[in-house]
Amino acid sequence: MEKYYFECQNCKQTYPYGNVTVCDKCGGIVTIKYTEDYLRRADAVKDQQEEKSIWNYAYALPEIHKENIVSFREGGTPLVKSREIARILHMNQLYLKDETKNPTGSFKDRAISVCVSAAKEMGCNGIVAASSGNGGAATSAYGVKGNFPTIVFVPESTPQGKIAQAITYGGKIIKVKGNFSKSFQAAKQLAKEREYMNVSTTFMNPWGIEGYKTLSYEMFDSLGKVPDVVIVPVGDGPILYGVYKGFMELKKMGKADRIPKLVCAQAKGCSPISNAWIEGRKVKACENPHTIASAISDPLEGYEEDGNLTVRTIHKTNGYACALSDKEIIEAGRLLACQEGIYVEPSSAVAIAALIQLKNKEIIGENDVCVCVLTGHGLKDSNAYISDSSELPVIHTIDEIPEEYLV
Ligand SMILES: *Cc1c(COP(=O)(O)O)cnc(C)c1O
Ligand SMILES: [Zn+2]
């Protein structure tokens, strides 16, 4: 048997390792499976690099020659023990996984570094992605660094601010008419026609999940144990699936004794996955997404099956799902910034809003070891917390400072 191969999550069909993104037989989602021998050899090959990064866990990834690894030292992010929010919520072991410290400012770097490196190893002709946000910035940065022709398709309506970062890294950004599905279609077609790797961070990207699973390896190593609960912001769910896969592998290796409960945090204005979990039914696409948490506003239209896989995964961990209002999300983001000094985008603050809700409902207990994954930097979405600065005082000299500012 091969050391690793693809397995369809739907019909269990297997495929040899290669540039596979979907099950040929049933169209299902494929993920990379490792043999137990491959995973169990981990400690023998563990190669401590000087710099902390996801590549400390190369032993648990498909084999990639050192010269093909495209890295900006992504991962190895701090697991901060919360003092202030823990005190406010009466929790003894609350941790914040600070993914804002990644090179392009979000956890998507983990996925894209693995994808682009795998593309080099397999000799793909280029890199293509559909994204309007964090995935696009990461794709541009890593694709260009990997010397690949790098194309990012964005929906025509994407605001300039969101694509500025991607443009600056040097990739070719192309606007596609229509909604996100049209951009994704374009990425799929171009990947097929030109033998590019499609690195869009969806379930059709098994390497992305491999990158995300390093979150679990890091949490486990930092804590020295399995946390009780991990809260992740979810759009489609590859992040949640990646965290699940990581802990399952640690269990297979004989390191972890169990897996944590996973909490899916979504925004009320677009929460097809949380609603399906809460109401105990199949996922229905969100018809009119409307939330400030743009990076997780994924209506799942036309790929509801992705959402169902995420719901099944939450159940497998005995976890929870919540839907939070924009008001709760913004308040959580402010609390995190002023109490812990971590400035995140609303799509990440949703994890703290979920924590507050679950602690108040006593679903999370005072002594639970709980980790919130803070997925992306606040600077990426700086208009979210204050859209308008025209209300601020404007002065000539300090004599004009309003009285209430000085108390
Ligand atoms: C992409 C993203 C997520 C959600 O990831 P999915 O894997 O699509 O569920 C969460 N937060 C931020 C900031 C993101 O960019
Ligand atoms: Zn299948």
Side-chain angles (χ1 to χ4, degrees), residues 73-80 96-110 134 165 169 215 218 333 336-337 340-349 372-381 385:
R73 292 176 292 281
E74 54 293 320
T77 56
L79 186 72
V80 180
L96 309 169
K97 184 66 172 160
D98 185 2
E99 290 293 296
T100 71
K101 299 291 190 286
N102 277 299
T104 80
S106 91
F107 80 110
K108 295 263 179 357
D109 290 345
R110 295 178 186 268
N134 295 331
Q165 191 186 8
Y169 283 124
L215 274 164
E218 289 180 11
L336 192 59
E340 307 280 357
I342 304 176
Y343 180 43
V344 301
E345 63 176 291
S347 295
S348 312
C372 293
V373 182
L374 304 176
T375 45
H377 207 292
L379 290 173
K380 283 176 165 279
D381 202 357
Y385 294 97

mmCIF file of all heavy atoms in Angstrom, residues 73-80 96-110 134 165 169 215 218 333 336-337 340-349 372-381 385:
data_model
loop_
_atom_site.group_PDB
_atom_site.id
_atom_site.type_symbol
_atom_site.label_atom_id
_atom_site.label_comp_id
_atom_site.label_asym_id
_atom_site.label_seq_id
_atom_site.Cartn_x
_atom_site.Cartn_y
_atom_site.Cartn_z
ATOM 1 N N ARG A 73 7.652 31.304 6.900
ATOM 2 C CA ARG A 73 7.576 31.004 8.335
ATOM 3 C C ARG A 73 6.157 31.178 8.886
ATOM 4 O O ARG A 73 5.948 31.765 9.931
ATOM 5 C CB ARG A 73 8.574 31.852 9.131
ATOM 6 C CG ARG A 73 10.013 31.482 8.846
ATOM 7 C CD ARG A 73 10.991 32.374 9.547
ATOM 8 N NE ARG A 73 10.977 33.728 9.026
ATOM 9 C CZ ARG A 73 11.563 34.119 7.909
ATOM 10 N NH1 ARG A 73 12.248 33.260 7.186
ATOM 11 N NH2 ARG A 73 11.478 35.352 7.505
ATOM 12 N N GLU A 74 5.210 30.656 8.112
ATOM 13 C CA GLU A 74 3.811 30.645 8.558
ATOM 14 C C GLU A 74 3.636 29.625 9.672
ATOM 15 O O GLU A 74 4.386 28.664 9.759
ATOM 16 C CB GLU A 74 2.879 30.312 7.377
ATOM 17 C CG GLU A 74 3.245 29.025 6.648
ATOM 18 C CD GLU A 74 4.579 29.125 5.915
ATOM 19 O OE1 GLU A 74 4.855 30.176 5.326
ATOM 20 O OE2 GLU A 74 5.358 28.150 5.963
ATOM 21 N N GLY A 75 2.647 29.849 10.501
ATOM 22 C CA GLY A 75 2.431 28.942 11.633
ATOM 23 C C GLY A 75 3.396 29.255 12.763
ATOM 24 O O GLY A 75 4.039 30.313 12.771
ATOM 25 N N GLY A 76 3.471 28.347 13.737
ATOM 26 C CA GLY A 76 4.301 28.627 14.913
ATOM 27 C C GLY A 76 3.789 29.856 15.652
ATOM 28 O O GLY A 76 4.553 30.578 16.299
ATOM 29 N N THR A 77 2.497 30.105 15.561
ATOM 30 C CA THR A 77 1.908 31.317 16.152
ATOM 31 C C THR A 77 1.723 31.152 17.660
ATOM 32 O O THR A 77 1.630 30.031 18.151
ATOM 33 C CB THR A 77 0.545 31.617 15.501
ATOM 34 O OG1 THR A 77 -0.283 30.464 15.649
ATOM 35 C CG2 THR A 77 0.689 31.950 14.038
ATOM 36 N N PRO A 78 1.664 32.269 18.395
ATOM 37 C CA PRO A 78 1.552 32.155 19.861
ATOM 38 C C PRO A 78 0.199 31.590 20.307
ATOM 39 O O PRO A 78 -0.827 31.882 19.693
ATOM 40 C CB PRO A 78 1.673 33.616 20.339
ATOM 41 C CG PRO A 78 1.998 34.450 19.154
ATOM 42 C CD PRO A 78 1.764 33.658 17.922
ATOM 43 N N LEU A 79 0.258 30.768 21.335
ATOM 44 C CA LEU A 79 -0.959 30.350 22.035
ATOM 45 C C LEU A 79 -0.943 31.153 23.334
ATOM 46 O O LEU A 79 -0.233 30.827 24.278
ATOM 47 C CB LEU A 79 -0.953 28.852 22.314
ATOM 48 C CG LEU A 79 -2.254 28.318 22.915
ATOM 49 C CD1 LEU A 79 -3.370 28.299 21.876
ATOM 50 C CD2 LEU A 79 -2.071 26.920 23.485
ATOM 51 N N VAL A 80 -1.702 32.239 23.330
ATOM 52 C CA VAL A 80 -1.653 33.190 24.444
ATOM 53 C C VAL A 80 -2.628 32.749 25.530
ATOM 54 O O VAL A 80 -3.791 32.479 25.238
ATOM 55 C CB VAL A 80 -2.076 34.596 23.939
ATOM 56 C CG1 VAL A 80 -2.036 35.618 25.068
ATOM 57 C CG2 VAL A 80 -1.202 35.031 22.772
ATOM 58 N N LEU A 96 -5.800 31.787 23.518
ATOM 59 C CA LEU A 96 -6.087 32.452 22.253
ATOM 60 C C LEU A 96 -4.996 32.072 21.251
ATOM 61 O O LEU A 96 -3.816 32.353 21.488
ATOM 62 C CB LEU A 96 -6.100 33.967 22.468
ATOM 63 C CG LEU A 96 -6.999 34.431 23.635
ATOM 64 C CD1 LEU A 96 -6.746 35.902 23.968
ATOM 65 C CD2 LEU A 96 -8.478 34.194 23.310
ATOM 66 N N LYS A 97 -5.372 31.411 20.175
ATOM 67 C CA LYS A 97 -4.396 31.037 19.144
ATOM 68 C C LYS A 97 -4.332 32.189 18.159
ATOM 69 O O LYS A 97 -5.256 32.412 17.361
ATOM 70 C CB LYS A 97 -4.850 29.727 18.476
ATOM 71 C CG LYS A 97 -3.878 29.169 17.440
ATOM 72 C CD LYS A 97 -2.559 28.716 18.040
ATOM 73 C CE LYS A 97 -1.711 27.979 17.002
ATOM 74 N NZ LYS A 97 -0.280 27.973 17.407
ATOM 75 N N ASP A 98 -3.225 32.947 18.239
ATOM 76 C CA ASP A 98 -3.152 34.236 17.548
ATOM 77 C C ASP A 98 -2.644 34.097 16.111
ATOM 78 O O ASP A 98 -1.457 34.299 15.831
ATOM 79 C CB ASP A 98 -2.268 35.193 18.355
ATOM 80 C CG ASP A 98 -2.256 36.588 17.759
ATOM 81 O OD1 ASP A 98 -2.961 36.804 16.744
ATOM 82 O OD2 ASP A 98 -1.544 37.448 18.293
ATOM 83 N N GLU A 99 -3.562 33.809 15.214
ATOM 84 C CA GLU A 99 -3.216 33.599 13.800
ATOM 85 C C GLU A 99 -2.999 34.904 13.038
ATOM 86 O O GLU A 99 -2.625 34.885 11.872
ATOM 87 C CB GLU A 99 -4.314 32.773 13.120
ATOM 88 C CG GLU A 99 -4.344 31.331 13.602
ATOM 89 C CD GLU A 99 -3.104 30.574 13.164
ATOM 90 O OE1 GLU A 99 -2.893 30.395 11.960
ATOM 91 O OE2 GLU A 99 -2.323 30.181 14.046
ATOM 92 N N THR A 100 -3.240 36.035 13.719
ATOM 93 C CA THR A 100 -2.939 37.317 13.052
ATOM 94 C C THR A 100 -1.440 37.456 12.826
ATOM 95 O O THR A 100 -1.014 38.260 12.014
ATOM 96 C CB THR A 100 -3.415 38.532 13.886
ATOM 97 O OG1 THR A 100 -2.574 38.676 15.035
ATOM 98 C CG2 THR A 100 -4.857 38.381 14.341
ATOM 99 N N LYS A 101 -0.645 36.664 13.543
ATOM 100 C CA LYS A 101 0.813 36.764 13.431
ATOM 101 C C LYS A 101 1.378 36.057 12.203
ATOM 102 O O LYS A 101 2.583 36.030 11.994
ATOM 103 C CB LYS A 101 1.478 36.194 14.687
ATOM 104 C CG LYS A 101 1.117 36.909 15.984
ATOM 105 C CD LYS A 101 1.701 38.318 16.054
ATOM 106 C CE LYS A 101 1.552 38.951 17.426
ATOM 107 N NZ LYS A 101 0.154 39.370 17.701
ATOM 108 N N ASN A 102 0.516 35.471 11.399
ATOM 109 C CA ASN A 102 0.995 34.829 10.170
ATOM 110 C C ASN A 102 1.478 35.874 9.164
ATOM 111 O O ASN A 102 1.054 37.025 9.206
ATOM 112 C CB ASN A 102 -0.126 33.970 9.564
ATOM 113 C CG ASN A 102 -0.188 32.607 10.222
ATOM 114 O OD1 ASN A 102 0.779 31.843 10.174
ATOM 115 N ND2 ASN A 102 -1.305 32.304 10.856
ATOM 116 N N PRO A 103 2.354 35.460 8.223
ATOM 117 C CA PRO A 103 2.997 36.434 7.316
ATOM 118 C C PRO A 103 2.036 37.352 6.564
ATOM 119 O O PRO A 103 2.310 38.546 6.457
ATOM 120 C CB PRO A 103 3.780 35.550 6.344
ATOM 121 C CG PRO A 103 3.974 34.260 7.051
ATOM 122 C CD PRO A 103 2.868 34.102 8.036
ATOM 123 N N THR A 104 0.943 36.842 6.031
ATOM 124 C CA THR A 104 0.029 37.752 5.328
ATOM 125 C C THR A 104 -1.149 38.147 6.209
ATOM 126 O O THR A 104 -2.108 38.755 5.740
ATOM 127 C CB THR A 104 -0.484 37.190 3.968
ATOM 128 O OG1 THR A 104 -1.553 36.258 4.201
ATOM 129 C CG2 THR A 104 0.620 36.513 3.174
ATOM 130 N N GLY A 105 -1.083 37.784 7.491
ATOM 131 C CA GLY A 105 -2.076 38.261 8.452
ATOM 132 C C GLY A 105 -3.257 37.340 8.682
ATOM 133 O O GLY A 105 -4.192 37.723 9.388
ATOM 134 N N SER A 106 -3.234 36.134 8.118
ATOM 135 C CA SER A 106 -4.321 35.202 8.430
ATOM 136 C C SER A 106 -3.838 33.757 8.384
ATOM 137 O O SER A 106 -2.778 33.457 7.816
ATOM 138 C CB SER A 106 -5.503 35.381 7.475
ATOM 139 O OG SER A 106 -5.386 34.534 6.351
ATOM 140 N N PHE A 107 -4.645 32.877 8.970
ATOM 141 C CA PHE A 107 -4.309 31.449 9.021
ATOM 142 C C PHE A 107 -4.314 30.796 7.649
ATOM 143 O O PHE A 107 -3.862 29.674 7.503
ATOM 144 C CB PHE A 107 -5.304 30.711 9.946
ATOM 145 C CG PHE A 107 -6.616 30.417 9.276
ATOM 146 C CD1 PHE A 107 -6.971 29.120 8.958
ATOM 147 C CD2 PHE A 107 -7.482 31.443 8.931
ATOM 148 C CE1 PHE A 107 -8.174 28.848 8.305
ATOM 149 C CE2 PHE A 107 -8.682 31.178 8.284
ATOM 150 C CZ PHE A 107 -9.024 29.884 7.973
ATOM 151 N N LYS A 108 -4.830 31.492 6.619
ATOM 152 C CA LYS A 108 -4.846 30.926 5.269
ATOM 153 C C LYS A 108 -3.434 30.632 4.770
ATOM 154 O O LYS A 108 -3.241 29.790 3.905
ATOM 155 C CB LYS A 108 -5.566 31.873 4.297
ATOM 156 C CG LYS A 108 -7.055 32.074 4.589
ATOM 157 C CD LYS A 108 -7.902 31.199 3.749
ATOM 158 C CE LYS A 108 -9.401 31.210 3.890
ATOM 159 N NZ LYS A 108 -10.115 31.985 4.852
ATOM 160 N N ASP A 109 -2.436 31.310 5.338
ATOM 161 C CA ASP A 109 -1.043 31.054 4.950
ATOM 162 C C ASP A 109 -0.659 29.589 5.160
ATOM 163 O O ASP A 109 0.146 29.044 4.410
ATOM 164 C CB ASP A 109 -0.088 31.936 5.762
ATOM 165 C CG ASP A 109 -0.190 33.404 5.371
ATOM 166 O OD1 ASP A 109 -0.754 33.699 4.316
ATOM 167 O OD2 ASP A 109 0.312 34.258 6.140
ATOM 168 N N ARG A 110 -1.218 28.972 6.187
ATOM 169 C CA ARG A 110 -0.903 27.557 6.444
ATOM 170 C C ARG A 110 -1.301 26.706 5.249
ATOM 171 O O ARG A 110 -0.554 25.840 4.791
ATOM 172 C CB ARG A 110 -1.673 27.050 7.670
ATOM 173 C CG ARG A 110 -1.278 27.708 8.968
ATOM 174 C CD ARG A 110 -2.129 27.157 10.110
ATOM 175 N NE ARG A 110 -1.864 27.866 11.343
ATOM 176 C CZ ARG A 110 -0.946 27.493 12.250
ATOM 177 N NH1 ARG A 110 -0.250 26.397 12.075
ATOM 178 N NH2 ARG A 110 -0.749 28.205 13.335
ATOM 179 N N ASN A 134 -8.746 36.890 2.244
ATOM 180 C CA ASN A 134 -7.486 36.437 2.813
ATOM 181 C C ASN A 134 -6.791 35.363 1.981
ATOM 182 O O ASN A 134 -5.573 35.346 1.878
ATOM 183 C CB ASN A 134 -7.732 35.919 4.228
ATOM 184 C CG ASN A 134 -8.203 37.034 5.148
ATOM 185 O OD1 ASN A 134 -7.853 38.194 4.943
ATOM 186 N ND2 ASN A 134 -8.997 36.689 6.151
ATOM 187 N N GLN A 165 -3.842 44.200 -1.022
ATOM 188 C CA GLN A 165 -2.751 43.367 -0.496
ATOM 189 C C GLN A 165 -2.327 42.328 -1.539
ATOM 190 O O GLN A 165 -1.134 42.141 -1.802
ATOM 191 C CB GLN A 165 -3.215 42.672 0.790
ATOM 192 C CG GLN A 165 -2.085 42.013 1.554
ATOM 193 C CD GLN A 165 -2.582 41.200 2.758
ATOM 194 O OE1 GLN A 165 -3.789 41.017 2.935
ATOM 195 N NE2 GLN A 165 -1.652 40.732 3.565
ATOM 196 N N TYR A 169 1.549 41.975 -3.497
ATOM 197 C CA TYR A 169 2.440 40.801 -3.480
ATOM 198 C C TYR A 169 2.880 40.384 -4.881
ATOM 199 O O TYR A 169 3.790 39.577 -5.025
ATOM 200 C CB TYR A 169 1.762 39.617 -2.785
ATOM 201 C CG TYR A 169 1.737 39.698 -1.280
ATOM 202 C CD1 TYR A 169 0.537 39.617 -0.578
ATOM 203 C CD2 TYR A 169 2.918 39.822 -0.543
ATOM 204 C CE1 TYR A 169 0.506 39.667 0.809
ATOM 205 C CE2 TYR A 169 2.895 39.875 0.841
ATOM 206 C CZ TYR A 169 1.684 39.791 1.513
ATOM 207 O OH TYR A 169 1.654 39.841 2.875
ATOM 208 N N LEU A 215 -2.598 23.475 12.883
ATOM 209 C CA LEU A 215 -3.132 24.215 14.042
ATOM 210 C C LEU A 215 -3.255 23.272 15.239
ATOM 211 O O LEU A 215 -2.902 23.623 16.365
ATOM 212 C CB LEU A 215 -4.522 24.775 13.719
ATOM 213 C CG LEU A 215 -4.618 26.122 13.014
ATOM 214 C CD1 LEU A 215 -6.010 26.313 12.451
ATOM 215 C CD2 LEU A 215 -4.274 27.252 13.983
ATOM 216 N N GLU A 218 0.109 22.161 16.685
ATOM 217 C CA GLU A 218 0.705 23.232 17.496
ATOM 218 C C GLU A 218 -0.010 23.395 18.837
ATOM 219 O O GLU A 218 0.641 23.544 19.874
ATOM 220 C CB GLU A 218 0.678 24.565 16.729
ATOM 221 C CG GLU A 218 1.657 24.585 15.571
ATOM 222 C CD GLU A 218 1.642 25.912 14.812
ATOM 223 O OE1 GLU A 218 1.039 26.886 15.295
ATOM 224 O OE2 GLU A 218 2.244 25.952 13.725
ATOM 225 N N GLY A 333 -14.936 41.834 19.356
ATOM 226 C CA GLY A 333 -13.694 42.317 18.743
ATOM 227 C C GLY A 333 -13.082 43.456 19.540
ATOM 228 O O GLY A 333 -11.858 43.526 19.729
ATOM 229 N N LEU A 336 -11.584 42.077 22.839
ATOM 230 C CA LEU A 336 -10.306 41.410 22.575
ATOM 231 C C LEU A 336 -9.186 42.434 22.376
ATOM 232 O O LEU A 336 -8.071 42.276 22.872
ATOM 233 C CB LEU A 336 -10.478 40.540 21.327
ATOM 234 C CG LEU A 336 -9.409 39.537 20.976
ATOM 235 C CD1 LEU A 336 -9.212 38.538 22.112
ATOM 236 C CD2 LEU A 336 -9.801 38.800 19.696
ATOM 237 N N ALA A 337 -9.508 43.502 21.645
ATOM 238 C CA ALA A 337 -8.497 44.532 21.380
ATOM 239 C C ALA A 337 -8.120 45.258 22.662
ATOM 240 O O ALA A 337 -6.940 45.430 22.969
ATOM 241 C CB ALA A 337 -9.012 45.517 20.332
ATOM 242 N N GLU A 340 -6.940 42.331 25.636
ATOM 243 C CA GLU A 340 -5.805 41.437 25.389
ATOM 244 C C GLU A 340 -4.806 42.022 24.387
ATOM 245 O O GLU A 340 -3.745 41.430 24.146
ATOM 246 C CB GLU A 340 -6.284 40.078 24.857
ATOM 247 C CG GLU A 340 -7.349 39.398 25.717
ATOM 248 C CD GLU A 340 -6.784 38.679 26.954
ATOM 249 O OE1 GLU A 340 -5.544 38.658 27.116
ATOM 250 O OE2 GLU A 340 -7.583 38.153 27.744
ATOM 251 N N GLY A 341 -5.172 43.152 23.753
ATOM 252 C CA GLY A 341 -4.255 43.767 22.786
ATOM 253 C C GLY A 341 -4.145 43.020 21.476
ATOM 254 O O GLY A 341 -3.165 43.160 20.753
ATOM 255 N N ILE A 342 -5.153 42.212 21.168
ATOM 256 C CA ILE A 342 -5.132 41.490 19.889
ATOM 257 C C ILE A 342 -6.257 42.056 19.015
ATOM 258 O O ILE A 342 -7.428 42.025 19.385
ATOM 259 C CB ILE A 342 -5.329 39.970 20.092
ATOM 260 C CG1 ILE A 342 -4.266 39.416 21.050
ATOM 261 C CG2 ILE A 342 -5.259 39.243 18.746
ATOM 262 C CD1 ILE A 342 -4.436 37.928 21.378
ATOM 263 N N TYR A 343 -5.856 42.607 17.870
ATOM 264 C CA TYR A 343 -6.800 43.284 16.976
ATOM 265 C C TYR A 343 -7.141 42.350 15.823
ATOM 266 O O TYR A 343 -6.270 42.045 15.011
ATOM 267 C CB TYR A 343 -6.141 44.575 16.479
ATOM 268 C CG TYR A 343 -6.941 45.436 15.539
ATOM 269 C CD1 TYR A 343 -8.284 45.684 15.746
ATOM 270 C CD2 TYR A 343 -6.322 46.035 14.438
ATOM 271 C CE1 TYR A 343 -9.003 46.495 14.883
ATOM 272 C CE2 TYR A 343 -7.021 46.859 13.570
ATOM 273 C CZ TYR A 343 -8.366 47.080 13.799
ATOM 274 O OH TYR A 343 -9.067 47.886 12.943
ATOM 275 N N VAL A 344 -8.370 41.864 15.795
ATOM 276 C CA VAL A 344 -8.755 40.886 14.766
ATOM 277 C C VAL A 344 -9.889 41.403 13.900
ATOM 278 O O VAL A 344 -10.614 42.320 14.283
ATOM 279 C CB VAL A 344 -9.205 39.534 15.396
ATOM 280 C CG1 VAL A 344 -8.092 38.926 16.234
ATOM 281 C CG2 VAL A 344 -10.489 39.695 16.217
ATOM 282 N N GLU A 345 -10.059 40.809 12.741
ATOM 283 C CA GLU A 345 -11.204 41.178 11.906
ATOM 284 C C GLU A 345 -12.471 40.548 12.491
ATOM 285 O O GLU A 345 -12.389 39.576 13.245
ATOM 286 C CB GLU A 345 -10.970 40.774 10.448
ATOM 287 C CG GLU A 345 -10.830 39.294 10.175
ATOM 288 C CD GLU A 345 -10.701 39.010 8.671
ATOM 289 O OE1 GLU A 345 -11.697 39.197 7.953
ATOM 290 O OE2 GLU A 345 -9.619 38.604 8.220
ATOM 291 N N PRO A 346 -13.642 41.101 12.145
ATOM 292 C CA PRO A 346 -14.887 40.582 12.724
ATOM 293 C C PRO A 346 -15.057 39.074 12.513
ATOM 294 O O PRO A 346 -15.567 38.379 13.393
ATOM 295 C CB PRO A 346 -15.972 41.364 11.979
ATOM 296 C CG PRO A 346 -15.307 42.635 11.578
ATOM 297 C CD PRO A 346 -13.884 42.295 11.296
ATOM 298 N N SER A 347 -14.595 38.561 11.385
ATOM 299 C CA SER A 347 -14.734 37.130 11.115
ATOM 300 C C SER A 347 -13.968 36.274 12.111
ATOM 301 O O SER A 347 -14.199 35.074 12.193
ATOM 302 C CB SER A 347 -14.257 36.806 9.696
ATOM 303 O OG SER A 347 -15.103 37.435 8.774
ATOM 304 N N SER A 348 -13.052 36.867 12.843
ATOM 305 C CA SER A 348 -12.329 36.147 13.892
ATOM 306 C C SER A 348 -12.945 36.421 15.258
ATOM 307 O O SER A 348 -13.000 35.530 16.109
ATOM 308 C CB SER A 348 -10.860 36.583 13.914
ATOM 309 O OG SER A 348 -10.320 36.579 12.620
ATOM 310 N N ALA A 349 -13.420 37.659 15.449
ATOM 311 C CA ALA A 349 -14.037 38.034 16.725
ATOM 312 C C ALA A 349 -15.249 37.164 17.022
ATOM 313 O O ALA A 349 -15.636 36.979 18.181
ATOM 314 C CB ALA A 349 -14.435 39.514 16.693
ATOM 315 N N CYS A 372 -9.659 29.586 21.552
ATOM 316 C CA CYS A 372 -10.326 30.312 20.465
ATOM 317 C C CYS A 372 -9.303 30.571 19.368
ATOM 318 O O CYS A 372 -8.228 31.126 19.645
ATOM 319 C CB CYS A 372 -10.856 31.653 20.951
ATOM 320 S SG CYS A 372 -12.196 31.496 22.142
ATOM 321 N N VAL A 373 -9.615 30.185 18.151
ATOM 322 C CA VAL A 373 -8.692 30.431 17.038
ATOM 323 C C VAL A 373 -9.025 31.794 16.434
ATOM 324 O O VAL A 373 -10.134 32.007 15.929
ATOM 325 C CB VAL A 373 -8.776 29.315 15.974
ATOM 326 C CG1 VAL A 373 -7.769 29.577 14.852
ATOM 327 C CG2 VAL A 373 -8.528 27.942 16.602
ATOM 328 N N LEU A 374 -8.051 32.708 16.518
ATOM 329 C CA LEU A 374 -8.246 34.080 16.028
ATOM 330 C C LEU A 374 -7.632 34.165 14.635
ATOM 331 O O LEU A 374 -6.434 34.361 14.481
ATOM 332 C CB LEU A 374 -7.616 35.065 17.004
ATOM 333 C CG LEU A 374 -8.147 34.908 18.441
ATOM 334 C CD1 LEU A 374 -7.424 35.843 19.385
ATOM 335 C CD2 LEU A 374 -9.659 35.123 18.491
ATOM 336 N N THR A 375 -8.494 33.992 13.622
ATOM 337 C CA THR A 375 -8.046 33.644 12.278
ATOM 338 C C THR A 375 -7.371 34.753 11.471
ATOM 339 O O THR A 375 -6.507 34.466 10.648
ATOM 340 C CB THR A 375 -9.258 33.116 11.488
ATOM 341 O OG1 THR A 375 -10.373 33.997 11.730
ATOM 342 C CG2 THR A 375 -9.639 31.717 11.930
ATOM 343 N N GLY A 376 -7.783 36.019 11.663
ATOM 344 C CA GLY A 376 -7.233 37.051 10.776
ATOM 345 C C GLY A 376 -7.096 38.423 11.425
ATOM 346 O O GLY A 376 -7.832 38.783 12.350
ATOM 347 N N HIS A 377 -6.158 39.198 10.923
ATOM 348 C CA HIS A 377 -5.802 40.502 11.493
ATOM 349 C C HIS A 377 -6.880 41.570 11.261
ATOM 350 O O HIS A 377 -7.482 41.620 10.196
ATOM 351 C CB HIS A 377 -4.488 40.977 10.864
ATOM 352 C CG HIS A 377 -3.722 41.894 11.764
ATOM 353 N ND1 HIS A 377 -4.168 43.157 12.077
ATOM 354 C CD2 HIS A 377 -2.565 41.722 12.430
ATOM 355 C CE1 HIS A 377 -3.301 43.727 12.900
ATOM 356 N NE2 HIS A 377 -2.318 42.875 13.134
ATOM 357 N N GLY A 378 -7.034 42.437 12.243
ATOM 358 C CA GLY A 378 -8.013 43.528 12.135
ATOM 359 C C GLY A 378 -7.690 44.521 11.035
ATOM 360 O O GLY A 378 -8.588 45.144 10.458
ATOM 361 N N LEU A 379 -6.403 44.676 10.721
ATOM 362 C CA LEU A 379 -6.020 45.664 9.704
ATOM 363 C C LEU A 379 -6.556 45.298 8.324
ATOM 364 O O LEU A 379 -6.621 46.134 7.434
ATOM 365 C CB LEU A 379 -4.488 45.770 9.631
ATOM 366 C CG LEU A 379 -3.828 46.416 10.847
ATOM 367 C CD1 LEU A 379 -2.309 46.312 10.734
ATOM 368 C CD2 LEU A 379 -4.261 47.870 10.973
ATOM 369 N N LYS A 380 -6.908 44.033 8.151
ATOM 370 C CA LYS A 380 -7.420 43.601 6.853
ATOM 371 C C LYS A 380 -8.826 44.121 6.575
ATOM 372 O O LYS A 380 -9.293 44.076 5.451
ATOM 373 C CB LYS A 380 -7.465 42.074 6.806
ATOM 374 C CG LYS A 380 -6.101 41.455 6.578
ATOM 375 C CD LYS A 380 -6.221 39.969 6.654
ATOM 376 C CE LYS A 380 -5.015 39.285 6.083
ATOM 377 N NZ LYS A 380 -5.043 39.184 4.621
ATOM 378 N N ASP A 381 -9.510 44.524 7.625
ATOM 379 C CA ASP A 381 -10.910 44.928 7.462
ATOM 380 C C ASP A 381 -11.137 46.140 8.348
ATOM 381 O O ASP A 381 -12.020 46.166 9.190
ATOM 382 C CB ASP A 381 -11.801 43.748 7.890
ATOM 383 C CG ASP A 381 -13.187 43.829 7.275
ATOM 384 O OD1 ASP A 381 -13.458 44.832 6.578
ATOM 385 O OD2 ASP A 381 -13.980 42.905 7.501
ATOM 386 N N TYR A 385 -14.858 48.224 12.250
ATOM 387 C CA TYR A 385 -15.145 48.708 13.604
ATOM 388 C C TYR A 385 -15.575 50.163 13.616
ATOM 389 O O TYR A 385 -16.303 50.597 14.474
ATOM 390 C CB TYR A 385 -13.937 48.485 14.516
ATOM 391 C CG TYR A 385 -13.659 47.022 14.725
ATOM 392 C CD1 TYR A 385 -12.699 46.344 13.982
ATOM 393 C CD2 TYR A 385 -14.405 46.294 15.655
ATOM 394 C CE1 TYR A 385 -12.474 44.994 14.163
ATOM 395 C CE2 TYR A 385 -14.192 44.939 15.834
ATOM 396 C CZ TYR A 385 -13.218 44.291 15.084
ATOM 397 O OH TYR A 385 -13.021 42.955 15.265
#
